[in-house]
Amino acid sequence: MKLWGGRFARGRRDPLFERFSESFSLDQRFILYDLRVNQIYLKHLASAGALRQTDARQLIRGLENIRRWVERHPDWSRGQAAEDVHTWVENRLEREIGAPARKLRTGRSRNDLVVTETRLFVKDAIDKLERDAAGLMETLLTLARKHLGVVLPGYTHLQPAQPILFSHYLLAYFEMLARDVGRLEDCRDRADELPMGAGALAGTAFPLDRAALARDLGFARVARNSLDVTSDRDFVGELLFVCCLTLVHLSRLAEDLILYSSPALGYVELADEYSTGSSLMPQKKNADSLELIRGKAARVLGRLSGALTLLKGLPLAYNRDLQEDKAALFDGVDTTRDCLQVATQVLATLRIFPEKMEAATHLGFLTATDLADELVRRSLPFAEAHEQVGRLVRHCLSKKIGFSEVSEAEARRFIPSWDHDLARVASSPALAVEKRKALGGTAPFQVKRQIVLGENRLKELRKRLAERKL
Ligand code: ARG
């Protein structure tokens, strides 16, 4: 049964188009939202005098029966068909209570209904995404605390640059995720507006108390413009953008760990559970979990692009194109949640090889900047210090030796003031780490402080999320 039969010739339906235009297969995920929004809406409709209280009660009870039935039957939608979940509910209600079900649709449209449900879904999805992100942030902090003191080469251009603490490295991703959570919060706040009462586009002609309706449905505010709220899906695009950015961050983490787990570097090893082998090469252990995270970032980027393209050029107000928002939204959210959870497990089970990391800090002249800095402390202009150290590096490279193997006489050819102190600076990556004491630097005490601050920030986040559940 369609919700719009009257205007149309009977029996003129093409199964191809029925299948093409249905959204039930996707928006059945909204079933509990649909039932709840309808129930609360009916209550307010009765308060507005647009529906008799006895009718409202009967309709609400019917919807309640459906809700219980749905909750008892996790596979409730199997074998069911409808144009969309809203149509299914109305048809089902008619089976449940008969003719009075035909009053369900009073004063509302699927246009304000579907976007109300989408906004409720988005708010809940954001809570779940934040919870998943908090799990990953916690794992990063745990690892950072556990391995505090471990030094590894920091890279720029993927070339050895300066030594850093492994914990400092991990905290970089903590910061990225913390910003992603902030963006989720912003997005949640903008999504937190009530569409119901906007009707199909122009608003409802029944005297609904929309502020009270918003409170009952858990919205912070009422949407101020009915055309806007029934036809924009900017909040879907915004959430997908945040999902995308989160996955861009996870994708970079994945890329790092893929490189670090290559035997050429050997800083880490993935647990067997999150790796796969080769059907041909018996020795292979591949970091497929991380490669898939990288790949899924591309997929969600496609979803974002699809969602924005969907909106671009749509005339106001609702157009059926908007039905496609669900495919993008559901897939984007589900994929991002999966990636956050897999990344958490990969990290929680990751084997770390501190001695490999540490050994690598003695290759690649990571202390070159510290040598130059030391010369600056001895009043050499930095540019000159840079030149002297550069020439020493060049010499070492030609002799295939490191800073610690260079003799005093050799070193003095390039750095006239070379002495025991400079030799110590040159051969101590740990000292280089120690010196970066300014806020935000990799010195152990700063990193430790960041861990403590991070733990407090995480506690705040968890508190906020727990309060929201109530
Ligand atoms: N299934 C539709 C959607 O997801 C519901 C709204 C249909 N509205 C309409 N005027 N045809 O957007």
Side-chain angles (χ1 to χ4, degrees), residues 74-323:
D75 60 347
W76 65 274
S77 63
R78 181 138 14 115
Q80 306 282 332
E83 184 180 311
D84 54 26
V85 69
H86 327 291
T87 307
W88 184 86
V89 165
E90 190 168 327
N91 286 333
R92 177 64 211 244
L93 187 62
E94 194 158 349
R95 267 179 47 205
E96 193 74 28
I97 64 168
R102 303 187 65 82
K103 298 190 172 174
L104 175 68
R105 239 186 284 159
T106 313
R108 68 145 174 80
S109 155
R110 280 180 295 168
N111 297 355
D112 54 354
L113 185 63
V114 73
V115 70
T116 300
E117 292 166 22
T118 309
R119 283 175 183 268
L120 289 172
F121 174 89
V122 159
K123 284 175 30 172
D124 286 344
I126 286 176
D127 292 350
K128 289 173 188 154
L129 283 161
E130 286 191 36
R131 215 155 282 152
D132 295 334
L136 180 52
M137 288 160 79
E138 180 164 0
T139 304
L140 287 166
L141 286 178
T142 307
L143 279 178
R145 196 174 260 292
K146 182 164 166 206
H147 299 285
L148 193 61
V150 174
V151 183
L152 88 162
Y155 300 87
T156 61
H157 315 268
L158 211 51
Q159 300 293 327
Q162 290 173 342
I164 53 169
L165 285 189
F166 180 50
S167 306
H168 194 53
Y169 163 84
L170 293 168
L171 290 176
Y173 285 101
F174 180 92
E175 290 299 327
M176 296 178 219
L177 286 164
R179 283 195 299 277
D180 292 332
V181 166
R183 278 183 273 263
L184 284 170
E185 285 288 296
D186 294 347
C187 172
R188 191 182 190 282
D189 180 54
R190 270 184 290 276
D192 207 1
E193 295 193 346
L194 171 81
M196 285 307 280
L201 74 163
T204 177
F206 296 103
L208 268 186
D209 181 351
R210 291 186 73 210
L213 182 55
R215 271 195 302 281
D216 275 2
L217 283 171
F219 283 103
R221 297 176 298 280
V222 175
R224 294 177 196 84
N225 185 301
S226 60
L227 292 174
D228 167 43
V229 78
T230 49
S231 69
D232 204 351
R233 298 291 184 270
D234 55 356
F235 64 99
V236 172
E238 199 175 345
L239 175 53
L240 286 172
F241 167 70
V242 183
C243 284
C244 248
L245 201 49
T246 306
L247 290 184
V248 165
H249 290 149
L250 293 194
S251 183
R252 295 187 73 179
L253 173 67
E255 174 65 7
D256 280 342
L257 295 180
I258 290 166
L259 288 170
Y260 293 176
S261 68
S262 160
L265 294 180
Y267 300 160
V268 301
E269 186 185 343
L270 264 69
D272 283 1
E273 298 97 291
Y274 302 106
S275 314
T276 64
S278 155
S279 59
L280 190 145
M281 299 165 281
Q283 86 286 11
K284 292 281 279 173
K285 177 171 174 181
N286 302 326
D288 290 29
S289 48
L290 296 170
E291 292 168 18
L292 280 168
I293 288 176
R294 214 171 44 189
K296 284 176 196 284
R299 164 175 164 164
V300 176
L301 185 53
R303 290 303 195 176
L304 168 63
S305 158
L308 294 179
T309 312
L310 188 64
L311 296 176
K312 177 197 160 301
L314 272 196
L316 235 52
Y318 180 87
N319 297 266
R320 190 65 177 267
D321 316 40
L322 292 174
Q323 178 167 294

Side-chain angles (χ1 to χ4, degrees), residues 24-39:
F24 180 71
S25 50
L26 275 182
D27 61 24
Q28 54 174 269
R29 246 176 114 156
F30 283 166
I31 183 66
L32 293 178
Y33 296 118
D34 194 273
L35 294 167
R36 188 161 72 87
V37 172
N38 272 312
Q39 286 181 313

